Amino acid sequence: MGHESVEDYQWPRVASAQEMKDAKLPLAYRDRCASLLIPLNKCRHEFYYLPWKCTDERHAYEKCEYMEFQARVNALKKQKAAAALAAAEAEAAAALSS
């Protein structure tokens, strides 16, 4: 059993702005995983935040948030690599012209 990659992860549907507003989600939580947070919060309220309840919903939400984090890390790595390549090309061009 290996870890699932960001490319293979099946992202949940994106909740609409109205759904997030109706669920009273804070702005900080309105991301790709909000559609999983809405039923999790409903479950939590229904069972008074008992830690042994809503485990499936919590696991799905936490995995989605982790994959979102991994996607941001990968995007930043690609951005830094592209900037380093551009800097190296600019340095090589400057060395050739002088």
Side-chain angles (χ1 to χ4, degrees):
M1 288 179 77
H3 293 289
E4 188 174 13
S5 69
V6 174
E7 293 81 20
D8 297 335
Y9 182 66
Q10 294 294 320
W11 294 99
R13 70 168 189 81
V14 178
S16 70
Q18 189 61 43
E19 286 175 311
M20 292 185 270
K21 182 179 176 184
D22 292 344
K24 299 179 183 173
L25 289 183
L27 291 177
Y29 294 95
R30 296 182 184 192
D31 58 6
R32 279 200 273 194
C33 303
S35 63
L36 298 175
L37 181 59
I38 293 169
L40 173 60
N41 283 343
K42 285 180 184 175
C43 182
R44 285 173 169 169
H45 287 289
E46 182 180 338
F47 291 105
Y48 303 103
Y49 285 81
L50 292 172
W52 56 87
K53 297 289 185 177
C54 311
T55 54
D56 292 338
E57 293 91 343
R58 183 174 50 91
H59 177 75
Y61 175 70
E62 288 176 352
K63 181 173 184 174
C64 182
E65 284 295 322
Y66 177 72
M67 289 299 187
E68 177 76 22
F69 170 74
Q70 288 296 321
R72 288 193 312 266
V73 167
N74 290 344
L76 183 61
K77 284 180 183 177
K78 288 178 184 176
Q79 185 180 9
K80 284 184 177 182
L85 180 62
E89 289 175 352
E91 185 178 316
L96 287 176
S97 66
S98 53

